[in-house]
């Protein structure tokens, strides 16, 4: 049996729920697309510890064949596969003022960009399969500046540290970061005219993520 680690975040701002937390908790311990799912859920904030190292260690402990990290973003129109992460915290809406426009990792260059290899996940095939469901899929170079980018930057750094210390024999656990739109149960009661760009049913979100997860391991 192959294992996959899924991460999600809890509620933030005006959103009473976070669909990534719902998805992660609902499938924890279950079989999904042929894989045993293990889940981690974090508070939607900027932590004082290294969540990226925590995720990588947890994946190694369960001998995961892949990691699927999820974040909810109301500006996304479908499954959004991130391809870059930056060493910068920048979100005036949700970050405390003392953290805004600071570094994820003070030991590394400000605004450093790290490329994320998503070829293993075959975005064109996922896009084609999801199109038949009416679900949009895209790749993105805009990871945001809040907790999602914070996690993926730390994961990218930790992955490079492991490869540097263990050399060519280092086992790389493929991972992908996917931003998803809000689902209906996550909408604030009073939107004040600021309805998210796209709102999915949870069933639609599950179908799309099932197709993406199915591409995790050859």
């Amino acid at each position: 049996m192959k294992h996959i680690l899924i991460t999600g975040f809890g509620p933030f701002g005006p959103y009473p729920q976070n669909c990534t937390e719902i998805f992660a908790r609902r499938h924890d311990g279950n079989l999904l697309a042929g894989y045993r799912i293990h889940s981690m859920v974090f508070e939607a904030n900027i932590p004082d510890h290294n969540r990226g190292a925590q995720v990588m260690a947890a994946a190694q402990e369960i001998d995961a064949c892949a990691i699927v990290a999820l974040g909810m973003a109301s500006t996304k129109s479908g499954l959004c596969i991130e391809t870059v992460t930056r060493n910068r915290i920048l979100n005036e809406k949700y970050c405390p003022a003392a953290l805004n426009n600071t570094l994820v990792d003070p030991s590394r260059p400000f605004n450093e960009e790290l490329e994320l290899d998503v070829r293993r996940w075959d975005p064109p095939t996922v896009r084609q399969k999801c199109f038949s469901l009416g679900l949009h899929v895209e790749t993105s170079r805009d990871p945001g500046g809040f907790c999602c980018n914070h996690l993926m930057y730390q994961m990218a750094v930790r992955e490079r540290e492991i490869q540097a210390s263990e050399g060519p024999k280092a086992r790389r656990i493929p991972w992908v970061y996917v931003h998803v739109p809000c689902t209906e149960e996550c909408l604030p009661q009073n939107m004040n005219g600021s309805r998210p760009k796209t709102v999915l049913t949870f069933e639609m979100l599950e179908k799309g993520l099932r197709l993406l997860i199915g591409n995790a391991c050859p």
Side-chain angles (χ1 to χ4, degrees), residues 131-183:
F131 180 78
S132 64
L133 301 175
L135 179 60
H136 179 66
V137 176
E138 64 181 355
T139 55
S140 163
R141 296 184 64 82
D142 181 15
F146 190 42
C147 54
C148 293
N149 176 67
H150 193 276
L151 176 61
M152 68 180 91
Y153 183 81
Q154 288 184 331
M155 289 176 66
V157 169
R158 181 58 185 147
E159 179 181 50
R160 285 158 172 78
E161 290 174 345
I162 293 171
Q163 292 173 335
S165 64
E166 298 183 11
K169 294 183 178 180
R171 174 178 174 255
R172 180 180 184 270
I173 301 177
W175 63 278
V176 65
Y177 201 99
V178 185
H179 272 116
V180 302
C182 297
T183 57

Side-chain angles (χ1 to χ4, degrees), residues 11-61:
F12 61 96
Y15 302 99
Q17 297 187 73
N18 188 318
C19 57
T20 68
E21 177 179 21
I22 299 172
F23 182 86
R25 294 198 187 282
R26 178 172 296 184
H27 292 289
D28 187 36
N30 295 338
L31 288 176
L32 185 64
Y35 302 103
R36 179 72 67 189
I37 301 301
H38 304 257
S39 299
M40 300 177 71
V41 176
F42 299 109
E43 292 185 14
N45 58 19
I46 301 298
D48 58 5
H49 61 283
N50 192 321
R51 285 175 174 167
Q54 184 181 354
V55 170
M56 290 296 184
Q60 290 178 330
E61 184 176 350

Side-chain angles (χ1 to χ4, degrees), residues 12-213:
F12 61 96
Y15 302 99
Q17 297 187 73
N18 188 318
C19 57
T20 68
E21 177 179 21
I22 299 172
F23 182 86
R25 294 198 187 282
R26 178 172 296 184
H27 292 289
D28 187 36
N30 295 338
L31 288 176
L32 185 64
Y35 302 103
R36 179 72 67 189
I37 301 301
H38 304 257
S39 299
M40 300 177 71
V41 176
F42 299 109
E43 292 185 14
N45 58 19
I46 301 298
D48 58 5
H49 61 283
N50 192 321
R51 285 175 174 167
Q54 184 181 354
V55 170
M56 290 296 184
Q60 290 178 330
E61 184 176 350
I62 64 172
D63 194 26
C65 70
I67 303 167
V68 178
L70 302 173
M72 187 178 79
S74 63
T75 58
K76 302 300 183 182
S77 59
L79 302 187
C80 191
I81 301 171
E82 301 298 345
T83 62
V84 68
T85 180
R86 298 184 180 91
N87 188 20
R88 189 178 186 183
I89 301 168
L90 185 64
N91 190 304
E92 293 182 0
K93 189 172 183 179
Y94 298 120
C95 285
L99 288 176
N100 200 43
N101 203 27
T102 60
L103 296 106
V104 177
D105 186 341
S107 71
R108 300 180 68 93
F110 179 74
N111 217 28
E112 174 188 40
E113 287 192 357
L114 298 179
E115 298 290 332
L116 307 179
D117 186 359
V118 300
R119 291 173 295 178
R120 177 72 166 269
W121 304 88
D122 194 4
T125 297
V126 176
R127 183 182 300 116
Q128 184 178 24
K129 290 180 178 179
C130 286
F131 180 78
S132 64
L133 301 175
L135 179 60
H136 179 66
V137 176
E138 64 181 355
T139 55
S140 163
R141 296 184 64 82
D142 181 15
F146 190 42
C147 54
C148 293
N149 176 67
H150 193 276
L151 176 61
M152 68 180 91
Y153 183 81
Q154 288 184 331
M155 289 176 66
V157 169
R158 181 58 185 147
E159 179 181 50
R160 285 158 172 78
E161 290 174 345
I162 293 171
Q163 292 173 335
S165 64
E166 298 183 11
K169 294 183 178 180
R171 174 178 174 255
R172 180 180 184 270
I173 301 177
W175 63 278
V176 65
Y177 201 99
V178 185
H179 272 116
V180 302
C182 297
T183 57
E184 294 165 339
E185 52 271 272
C186 300
L187 296 179
Q189 290 186 349
N190 183 3
M191 294 299 297
N192 293 322
S194 58
R195 186 175 175 85
K197 184 175 181 180
T198 298
V199 179
L200 298 179
T201 64
F202 194 80
E203 179 184 12
M204 177 68 78
L205 176 64
E206 284 191 312
K207 287 180 177 179
L209 290 177
R210 184 185 294 269
L211 288 172
L212 181 132
I213 288 168

